[in-house]
């Protein structure tokens, strides 16, 4: 079956770190089929022992929409094998063409489902942290259509989370600096994320519900990048500093 075959193809590309062609011709899919492919793709990982630990929002900032040419909100699933320890190291040989972007991460203390207000979303938050997402499209040249990127789990590949802060911490408009070896590569503000990152949490609950899913208590929600993503290079130290929330880092090794 087409859906099963494409999920297998994307899983192999992710595992091998080798790019796969875009979903065109007889492999072209609808948004609905793409969502099903994403579910099957994650099922492969869960079979290998990973757990779903949350979800990530994509294209919540204009900077990201402009960079990738997609303007619809998307979401993907975060699994335990994607977690990168704060201060840890990743080997770029395992990726296709990885990029990094500055984000805000929520930890939910309560379940959220469907249409919720920003106040209800905030009441479900247990903690908030500065974060970085490592994205790595499995498609050639990092190019994709909306269904392509949905099928590919919204390009998600890894995430690093910094120190947790109290849920009442105001994260609506915080300065963010991402640097490589101490040199700033992107500057932004958390307000670039839908005006305020809490709106990404509201959108996550709404979009997940369209597929019959809820945001579970204990899960992590990445709100989406505040700036464009930057290509990673081997042998660098990557740091993200968020006003009032502190900083987090990781380093890279390996040949590409
Ligand atoms: C898709 C993922 C977008 C974000 O934070 O906006 C995303 C991509 O850019 O490849 O993670
Ligand atoms: Mg992201």
């Amino acid at each position: 079956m087409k859906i099963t075959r494409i999920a297998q193809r994307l899983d192999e590309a992710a595992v091998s770190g080798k790019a796969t062609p875009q979903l065109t011709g007889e492999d072209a899919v609808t948004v609905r089929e793409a969502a099903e492919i994403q579910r099957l793709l994650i099922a492969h990982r869960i079979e290998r022992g990973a757990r779903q630990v949350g979800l990530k929002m994509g294209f919540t900032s204009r900077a990201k929409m402009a960079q990738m040419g997609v303007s619809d909100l998307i979401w993907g699933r975060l699994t335990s094998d994607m977690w990168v320890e704060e201060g840890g190291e990743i080997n770029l040989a395992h990726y296709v063409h990885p990029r990094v972007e500055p984000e805000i991460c929520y930890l939910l203390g309560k379940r959220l489902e469907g249409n919720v207000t920003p106040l209800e979303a905030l009441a479900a938050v247990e903690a908030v942290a500065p974060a970085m997402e490592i994205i790595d499209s499995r498609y050639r040249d990092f190019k994709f259509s909306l269904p392509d990127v949905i099928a590919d789990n919204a390009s998600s590949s890894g995430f690093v989370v910094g120190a947790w802060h109290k849920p009442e911490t105001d994260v609506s408009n915080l300065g963010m600096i991402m640097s490589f070896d101490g040199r700033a590569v992107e500057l932004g503000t958390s307000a670039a994320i839908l005006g305020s990152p809490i709106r990404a949490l509201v959108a996550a609950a709404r979009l997940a519900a369209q597929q019959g899913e809820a945001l579970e208590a204990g899960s992590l929600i990445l709100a989406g990048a505040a700036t464009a993503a930057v290509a990673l290079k081997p042998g660098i130290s990557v740091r993200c500093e968020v006003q009032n929330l502190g900083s987090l880092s990781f380093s890279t090794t390996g040949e590409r």
Side-chain angles (χ1 to χ4, degrees), residues 75-156:
W75 65 280
R77 293 164 165 86
L78 299 176
T79 51
S80 50
D81 54 338
M82 291 170 52
W83 182 71
V84 175
E85 196 180 346
E86 203 282 301
E89 190 176 87
I90 62 165
N91 186 343
L92 301 189
H94 299 149
Y95 299 77
V96 186
H97 32 214
R99 298 178 179 178
V100 61
E101 46 192 31
E103 303 226 1
I104 297 288
C105 185
Y106 290 104
L107 169 65
L108 292 187
K110 297 194 193 95
R111 193 168 188 267
L112 269 180
E113 189 173 17
N115 288 318
V116 297
T117 65
L119 264 180
E120 287 166 333
L122 207 51
V125 173
E126 177 148 320
V128 63
M132 285 186 273
E133 185 181 21
I134 299 159
I135 55 168
D136 190 24
S137 175
R138 267 54 65 163
Y139 299 110
R140 277 181 198 153
D141 306 319
F142 223 115
K143 290 212 170 81
F144 44 69
S145 64
L146 177 65
D148 287 355
V149 67
I150 292 172
D152 187 28
N153 199 29
S155 304
S156 65

Side-chain angles (χ1 to χ4, degrees), residues 51-255:
R51 282 174 304 113
Q52 187 171 332
V53 296
L55 67 81
K56 56 132 324 153
M57 291 299 294
F59 303 133
T60 50
S61 68
R62 287 193 181 279
K64 284 290 304 182
M65 291 181 206
Q67 183 179 32
M68 303 315 299
V70 177
S71 54
D72 298 76
L73 293 183
I74 58 169
W75 65 280
R77 293 164 165 86
L78 299 176
T79 51
S80 50
D81 54 338
M82 291 170 52
W83 182 71
V84 175
E85 196 180 346
E86 203 282 301
E89 190 176 87
I90 62 165
N91 186 343
L92 301 189
H94 299 149
Y95 299 77
V96 186
H97 32 214
R99 298 178 179 178
V100 61
E101 46 192 31
E103 303 226 1
I104 297 288
C105 185
Y106 290 104
L107 169 65
L108 292 187
K110 297 194 193 95
R111 193 168 188 267
L112 269 180
E113 189 173 17
N115 288 318
V116 297
T117 65
L119 264 180
E120 287 166 333
L122 207 51
V125 173
E126 177 148 320
V128 63
M132 285 186 273
E133 185 181 21
I134 299 159
I135 55 168
D136 190 24
S137 175
R138 267 54 65 163
Y139 299 110
R140 277 181 198 153
D141 306 319
F142 223 115
K143 290 212 170 81
F144 44 69
S145 64
L146 177 65
D148 287 355
V149 67
I150 292 172
D152 187 28
N153 199 29
S155 304
S156 65
S157 186
F159 60 94
V160 192
V161 181
W164 291 106
H165 295 261
K166 293 193 174 85
E168 56 272 21
T169 310
D170 183 4
V171 300
S172 60
N173 185 9
L174 300 179
M176 302 173 84
I177 303 174
M178 192 166 72
S179 55
F180 287 3
D181 288 333
R183 283 180 54 180
V185 290
E186 281 292 340
L187 299 176
T189 156
S190 59
I193 305 163
L194 292 175
S196 174
I198 196 68
R199 295 209 180 108
L201 187 53
V202 168
R206 179 171 50 83
L207 295 183
Q210 287 174 0
Q211 286 173 47
E213 295 186 31
L215 312 185
E216 301 298 341
S219 64
L220 300 176
I221 314 293
L222 281 178
T227 71
V230 184
L232 285 168
K233 292 176 287 189
I236 59 168
S237 166
V238 181
R239 186 180 163 93
C240 175
E241 194 173 335
V242 181
Q243 182 187 355
N244 301 345
L245 302 186
S247 65
L248 64 149
S249 61
F250 68 95
S251 59
T252 66
T253 58
E255 286 307 310

